[in-house]
């Protein structure tokens, strides 16, 4: 008790700034300052001895404000902090003497706790209460402060005061001290910012065994796990100087604790004896000139008798078990819902009056955790709550939300944290993921299987069915995805567009659609493109359009082969010949393998699916024209043009150009 008192008196000596303010008040009002000093010294000493320290947790970060009309070099600081609800000055500011959500609480304590901007100026802080934890008797609030610096330079902002909790195994009743390095004018992105660390105020782990904890850190626009090449964040365990005192004991120097952090991933590895420890972590962004943010939190190593809840890590996804980090993509304007689910050990089962709960860190604006409900999972009683969020355009960046499940009193043990990294992106356009082209033959069961390549160039045969199958997907599962035909085959008549088929792929809306086309007898030599669009659309509950995104146009070029025709059902040479303005004798002459030209479907005759010649390929000579070729082979210019859709009566022939001709030996010229 004497040692505690001696420590508290020494801390009272640090409160000179606070007492100076009080003294000025009493002198201006004609009061006796000596009596006031004794009164307030006694009051604060008694309050600390009875209540213990009131500081629990804080994280300090900043970003440059570039809104129109804002002064240059304006920086917005964000302080999320957690404090004791039993601290007298806070209770007196609460609604009806009780700290309540949405209360505005002036942060107080020994050492005159203020935000020091690093340029010689300071500011008192008031926090808006976001949540109250009646089990831990803590409240968590948020403070935002704008400050204008004189120039683009570097400053060391800090927030410090006294005192920490008395129950801590290290740095009990000591000062807290958070820093954030502000660097302006050293960013390639046009504005500057520090990392943001949305971790829980208290993290629980099993004692006397290795535990891996992911310390989430994000930067505006890009997550720490997806930063551009060459840009990485760096994590550090705070040193004694980072605690603001050479006598402070960092987590990795505390007896009974082994702790290290992977500076590249943010994974904190700890093995600790039972107890509650003060831990400070700093995260730096070298690409911002070394801009930093810091977090000071409590790490609780639970005794073997504790009965914390266990997460069902199948919800909301399947994270790496070692770090319990979930990566979840979201899209601006669309509501996302995922489920937090956990079970309780039998020794911590709810008794009807005391129920478990879910603890949260700093959550994005608008993100809501629904009501916790009991569920039965294969005979095991558990609890679940839905988390919903509809990010806005201004929230288009990466953030993280961390959760812990808390068992009901009297055990009141919390689970390890589960952090969900929320990657908010603009609504993406659909993408093509498969295309296939098949010249199908129903008689032999040929099927069309799409592949990943879209660089296809089919050469269909007249009379033979061609099927094109397209597959598209949309990463926004809220979109209604459709595939439409943008350009049909030129002059085609036998075209059928299939129904939209929905496919399964986790994390995507995925569909396919087919187009079937049978080139006709007058389409030999035709070239063109068949084009498709994939379109993702969505509407809100009122029917108002929310998105309308299109994929790049996908076109498949084709060339219909000349002089070849697929025999249809029950087609004889006599039935085919008029389609090509010729006779069955000419067709028989072009297909010497046919022994029974008058028949169909028997040995030696043609059958369905056979490919026959309906003309002869001739190479154009330098002086040739369509009229000259017609006279030479005993045919007409009209017939040549009908068999060669790539020719024109007004455009001359090219040397060695392939031309399909049905020669007539009776009228041909020499």
């Amino acid at each position: 008790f004497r040692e505690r008192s001696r420590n508290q008196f020494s801390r009272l000596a640090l409160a000179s700034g606070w007492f100076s303010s009080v003294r000025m008040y009493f002198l201006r009002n004609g009061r006796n300052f000596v009596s006031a000093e004794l009164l307030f010294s006694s009051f604060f000493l008694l309050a600390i001895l009875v209540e213990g320290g009131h500081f629990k947790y804080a994280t300090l970060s900043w970003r440059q404000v570039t809104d129109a009309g804002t002064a240059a070099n304006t920086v917005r600081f964000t302080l999320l902090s957690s404090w004791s609800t039993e601290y007298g000055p806070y209770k007196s500011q609460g609604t009806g003497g009780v700290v309540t959500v949405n209360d505005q609480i002036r942060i107080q304590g020994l050492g005159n706790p203020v935000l020091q901007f690093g340029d010689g100026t300071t500011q008192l802080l008031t926090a808006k209460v976001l949540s109250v934890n009646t089990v831990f008797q803590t409240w968590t609030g948020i403070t935002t402060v704008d400050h204008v610096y004189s120039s683009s330079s570097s400053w060391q902002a800090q927030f410090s005061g006294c005192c920490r909790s008395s129950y801590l195994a290290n740095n009990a009743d000591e000062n807290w001290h958070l820093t954030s390095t502000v660097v302006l004018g050293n960013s390639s992105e046009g504005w500057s910012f520090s990392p943001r660390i949305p971790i829980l105020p208290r993290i629980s782990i099993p004692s006397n065994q290795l535990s891996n904890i992911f310390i989430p850190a994000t930067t505006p626009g890009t997550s720490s796990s997806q930063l551009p090449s060459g840009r990485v964040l760096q994590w550090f365990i705070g040193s004694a100087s980072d605690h603001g005192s050479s006598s402070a004991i960092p987590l990795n120097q505390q007896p009974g604790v082994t702790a290290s952090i992977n500076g590249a991933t943010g994974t904190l590895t700890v093995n600790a004896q039972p107890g509650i420890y003060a831990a400070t972590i700093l995260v730096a962004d070298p690409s911002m000139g070394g801009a930093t943010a810091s977090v000071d939190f409590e790490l609780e190593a639970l005794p073997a008798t504790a009965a914390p809840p266990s997460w069902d890590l199948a919800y909301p996804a399947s994270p790496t078990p070692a770090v319990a980090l979930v990566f979840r993509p979201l899209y601006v304007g669309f509501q996302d819902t995922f489920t937090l689910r956990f079970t309780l050990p039998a020794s911590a089962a709810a008794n009807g009056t005391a129920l478990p709960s879910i603890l949260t860190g700093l959550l994005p604006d608008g993100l809501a955790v629904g009501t916790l409900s009991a569920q039965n999972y294969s005979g095991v009683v558990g609890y679940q709550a839905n988390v919903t969020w509809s990010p806005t355009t201004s929230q288009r960046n990466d953030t993280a939300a961390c959760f812990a499940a808390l068992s009901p009193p009297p055990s009141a043990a919390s689970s390890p944290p589960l952090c969900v990294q929320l990657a908010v992106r603009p609504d993406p356009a659909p993408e093509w993921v498969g295309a296939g082209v098949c010249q199908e033959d129903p008689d032999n069961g040929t099927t069309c299987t799409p592949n990943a390549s879209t660089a296809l160039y089919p050469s269909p045969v007249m009379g033979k069915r061609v099927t094109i199958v397209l597959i598209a997907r949309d990463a926004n599962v809220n979109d209604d995805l459709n595939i439409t035909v943008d350009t049909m085959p030129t002059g085609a008549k036998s075209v059928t567009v299939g129904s939209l088929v929905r496919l399964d792929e986790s994390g995507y809306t995925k569909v396919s659609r087919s187009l079937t086309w049978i080139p006709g007898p007058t389409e030999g030599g035709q070239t063109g493109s068949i084009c498709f669009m994939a379109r993702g659309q969505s509407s809100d509950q009122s029917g108002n359009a929310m998105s309308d995104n299109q994929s790049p146009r996908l076109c498949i070029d084709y060339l219909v082969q000349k002089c070849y025709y697929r025999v249809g059902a029950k087609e004889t040479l006599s039935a085919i010949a008029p389609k090509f303005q010729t006779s069955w004798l000419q067709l028989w002459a072009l297909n010497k393998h046919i022994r029974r030209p008058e028949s169909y479907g028997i040995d030696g005759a043609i059958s369905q699916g056979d490919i026959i010649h309906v003309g002869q390929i001739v190479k154009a000579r330098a002086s040739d024209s369509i009229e000259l070729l017609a006279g030479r082979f005993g045919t007409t210019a009209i017939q040549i043009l009908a068999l060669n859709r790539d020719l024109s009566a007004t455009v001359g022939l090219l040397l060695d150009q392939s031309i399909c001709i049905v020669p007539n030996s009776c009228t041909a010229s020499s």
Side-chain angles (χ1 to χ4, degrees), residues 30 38 60 65 115 126 153 176 182 213 265 271 322 328 332 336 338 370 379 392 394 457 501 543 583 638 653:
L38 291 175
L60 181 63
V65 181
L115 179 58
T126 297
S153 187
W176 75 82
V182 178
I213 307 159
T265 67
N271 188 340
R328 191 172 186 85
V332 171
D336 181 69
F338 59 87
T392 63
S394 63
Y457 191 90
V501 178
S583 66
I638 293 176
L653 300 179

Side-chain angles (χ1 to χ4, degrees), residues 112-168:
N112 195 25
V114 294
L115 179 58
Q116 302 179 43
F117 297 111
D119 59 357
T121 60
T122 63
Q123 183 166 329
L124 299 173
L125 300 179
T126 297
K128 178 184 178 181
V129 179
L130 300 178
S131 63
V132 177
N133 188 318
T134 56
V135 176
F136 293 156
Q137 295 184 319
T138 60
W139 64 271
T140 300
I142 189 169
T143 304
T144 56
V145 175
D146 286 1
H147 180 70
V148 180
Y149 286 98
S150 59
S151 62
S152 295
S153 187
S154 176
W155 292 270
Q156 186 80 357
Q158 65 180 37
F159 172 62
S160 58
C162 187
C163 300
R164 296 179 182 272
S165 298
S166 301
Y167 53 68
L168 293 173

Side-chain angles (χ1 to χ4, degrees), residues 432-435 451-456 470 554-556:
W432 298 108
V433 292
N451 54 54
S453 172
T454 56
L456 304 167
L470 283 303
L554 173 60
C555 293
I556 297 177

Side-chain angles (χ1 to χ4, degrees), residues 405-484:
L406 181 66
S407 59
S411 61
S414 64
S415 69
L418 173 63
C419 293
V420 183
Q421 192 158 286
L422 304 168
V424 181
R425 300 288 184 265
D427 186 29
E431 60 178 342
W432 298 108
V433 292
V437 177
C438 299
Q439 296 191 60
E440 299 180 272
D441 192 331
D443 297 331
N444 61 24
T446 303
T447 59
C448 186
T449 303
N451 54 54
S453 172
T454 56
L456 304 167
Y457 191 90
S459 297
V461 173
M462 290 178 288
K464 187 172 184 179
R465 184 170 63 188
V466 177
T467 297
I468 301 173
V469 179
L470 283 303
I471 298 178
R473 69 181 184 183
D474 192 329
N476 186 352
V477 296
N478 300 287
D479 276 346
D480 183 18
L481 183 58
N482 191 17
I483 296 175
T484 58

Side-chain angles (χ1 to χ4, degrees), residues 138-408:
T138 60
W139 64 271
T140 300
I142 189 169
T143 304
T144 56
V145 175
D146 286 1
H147 180 70
V148 180
Y149 286 98
S150 59
S151 62
S152 295
S153 187
S154 176
W155 292 270
Q156 186 80 357
Q158 65 180 37
F159 172 62
S160 58
C162 187
C163 300
R164 296 179 182 272
S165 298
S166 301
Y167 53 68
L168 293 173
N170 63 326
N171 306 322
D173 299 320
E174 293 286 348
N175 296 340
W176 75 82
H177 182 81
L178 279 93
T179 61
S180 185
T181 304
V182 178
V183 182
L184 299 178
N186 194 13
S187 170
S188 60
E189 301 194 25
W191 63 304
S192 302
F193 45 80
S194 75
R196 180 175 173 272
I197 315 173
I199 199 170
L200 291 160
R202 178 181 289 190
I203 292 178
S204 296
I205 59 172
S207 60
N208 296 317
Q209 68 181 65
L210 282 177
S211 295
N212 292 316
I213 307 159
F214 179 73
I215 307 298
T218 59
T219 59
T222 313
S223 71
S224 59
S225 62
Q226 297 186 328
L227 290 173
S229 176
R231 178 178 170 188
V232 295
L233 298 182
Q234 298 174 345
W235 282 258
F236 306 90
I237 294 179
S239 63
S241 60
D242 294 321
H243 285 75
S245 170
S246 60
S247 61
I249 303 175
L251 180 66
N252 57 350
Q253 296 179 20
Q254 169 67 19
V257 176
T258 57
S260 62
I261 195 165
N262 186 319
T265 67
T267 301
L268 177 65
T269 301
V270 182
N271 188 340
Q273 295 177 1
I276 302 177
Y277 303 88
T280 297
I281 302 293
L282 288 84
V283 182
D285 187 347
S287 69
M288 285 288 167
T292 65
S294 60
V295 61
D296 192 314
F297 62 98
E298 293 182 348
L299 178 68
E300 181 178 19
L302 297 172
T305 56
S310 298
W311 289 113
D312 181 345
L313 293 184
Y315 288 79
S318 298
T320 304
V323 297
L325 172 68
V326 179
F327 181 82
R328 191 172 186 85
L330 293 86
Y331 302 101
V332 171
F334 293 88
Q335 178 173 296
D336 181 69
T337 301
F338 59 87
T339 302
L340 300 174
R341 194 165 81 175
F342 62 89
T343 57
L344 293 174
S347 59
N351 58 23
T353 56
L355 298 174
S357 58
I358 292 179
L359 307 177
T360 64
L362 178 61
L363 301 178
D365 289 343
L367 187 145
V369 180
T371 303
L372 196 65
S373 61
Q375 303 288 330
N376 191 308
Y377 310 116
S378 302
V380 178
V381 176
Y383 296 84
Q384 71 177 39
N386 289 331
V387 179
T388 58
W389 188 34
S390 299
T392 63
T393 302
S394 63
Q395 294 172 316
R396 194 181 72 183
N397 54 33
D398 281 22
T399 184
C402 293
F403 309 89
L406 181 66
S407 59

